[in-house]
Amino acid sequence: MMRPGLCSVTFRQLTAEQVVEATAAAGLEVIEWGGDVHVPPGDTARAAEVARATTDAGLAVCSYGSYFRPGVQDDLEPVLDSAAALGADRVRIWAGGVGSADASDEHWATMIARLKVAAEQAAARGIMLALEYHSRTLTDTAATTRRLLNEVPALSTYWQPNVAASDESALADYAALQDRVSAAHVFSWWPQAERLRLHERESLWRGFFSAASRAAVPPRDALLEFVLDDDPGILAAEAATLRGWIMDAA
C-alpha cells in the first residue's frame, strides 16, 4: 500500500522537531522534508539532525522537497548533499520556470539536456529525481510531463490535481502518467486555490486511490499538503481521512 505522509512545507511555521511530533501523533508514516525552511540545501549537519529526529519517532524520510530548477539554479550538489544526509532516496525538483505553452524549442532542448545531467548526478549517489507537477513549468500538463519523462527515462514524477481541474480531468491526467508517478501531493482546493478540508473533494481522492491501487506501479507515497488555514490542529483528522482512503482502496 501507499505510505501516508506529510510534506513538511505544510507547516512552515513549525520547527522540524514540531513537524516530527505532529506527524507521529497523527499516525502518518513518512515525511518529505522541504528545502526552503526545515532542511536548507547544503546544511548537512541540520539534515542529519532532522533525519535522526524523524527515525527516532518511528517515521521514515521519504524524500527531499527541493526547489532546484535546472536553468535557474544550476548547482545540484548542495541539494544532493542534504538529501544524502537525510537518507532520502528521492529528490523532488522543478522543470524550470517557464510554462509549456510559452516554452521555445530551444528552452525544451536546454531543459532536457540539463535534466539528463542532473539525473546522472543523482543516480551516481543512489538518488532518483522526481518532477513537481505544477503550473508555470514544463510539467504543467500531463502531455508535456510525459514528453519530459520520455526524453529523460531516469526521472519519475509527482502528481497532484491541477488548480480548477474537474475530478474527471484530474484523474485523466493521473491515468496518462500513472506508470511514472512515484508520489502524490494530497490536498483539496476548489474551485480555484481555496483550501478545503480533505473530505470535501472525496470523489476526486477516492477515484485517485482506486486507480492508483490498480496501477502496475502505484505511487510509493501519498503526502498531505496545504491543510486548511495551515492549522496543525486538524492534521490528525486529515491524516485519518487519508489513511482511510488508502485502506479502502487496497
Side-chain angles (χ1 to χ4, degrees):
M1 288 190 296
M2 279 175 280
R3 299 182 298 181
L6 178 74
C7 295
S8 77
V9 298
T10 305
F11 300 122
R12 290 184 171 100
Q13 76 275 26
L14 302 183
T15 66
E17 290 75 14
Q18 289 171 324
V19 170
V20 167
E21 182 179 1
T23 304
L28 297 170
E29 298 177 15
V30 299
I31 300 177
E32 174 176 281
W33 286 107
D36 57 343
V37 174
H38 296 116
V39 183
D43 189 345
T44 56
R46 182 55 176 155
E49 290 173 352
V50 171
R52 283 193 297 272
T54 305
T55 56
D56 286 350
L59 304 168
V61 175
C62 66
S63 47
Y64 182 45
S66 84
Y67 291 86
F68 176 77
R69 296 175 186 255
V72 180
Q73 299 93 23
D74 280 324
D75 189 2
L76 183 61
E77 289 301 328
V79 170
L80 297 177
D81 289 342
S82 288
L86 278 169
D89 65 355
R90 183 179 65 218
V91 172
R92 177 169 52 86
I93 65 171
W94 297 60
V98 177
S100 61
D102 298 319
S104 65
D105 290 344
E106 181 181 6
H107 181 77
W108 270 97
T110 298
M111 189 61 57
I112 289 166
R114 286 175 169 165
L115 284 170
K116 286 179 178 178
V117 171
E120 290 172 0
Q121 284 180 267
R125 301 175 69 162
I127 295 170
M128 171 180 281
L129 300 183
L131 299 166
E132 170 83 3
Y133 186 63
H134 204 278
S135 59
R136 297 183 298 280
T137 71
L138 293 185
T139 53
D140 53 9
T141 72
T144 56
T145 302
R146 172 60 68 179
R147 177 178 172 184
L148 272 184
L149 294 171
N150 288 343
E151 293 282 358
V152 192
L155 297 174
S156 68
T157 187
Y158 280 47
W159 176 85
Q160 63 191 37
N162 282 325
V163 171
S166 66
D167 294 359
E168 294 77 11
S169 175
L171 292 173
D173 287 346
Y174 171 67
L177 298 169
Q178 64 180 356
D179 61 311
R180 302 287 292 278
V181 174
S182 57
H185 282 162
V186 181
F187 55 87
S188 289
W189 289 5
W190 193 258
Q192 295 288 325
E194 294 83 0
R195 298 187 187 186
L196 307 175
R197 292 296 296 268
L198 200 57
H199 70 271
E200 293 182 80
R201 294 202 71 184
E202 183 170 12
S203 61
L204 165 65
W205 288 111
R206 283 198 180 276
F208 165 74
F209 286 110
S210 176
S213 70
R214 299 191 304 271
V217 183
R220 186 175 70 176
D221 305 302
L223 305 171
L224 288 170
E225 188 181 34
F226 302 130
V227 300
L228 181 65
D229 297 328
D230 299 327
D231 181 8
I234 66 172
L235 178 60
E238 300 292 78
T241 298
L242 174 63
R243 293 197 312 273
W245 289 339
I246 293 173
M247 291 293 295
D248 288 349

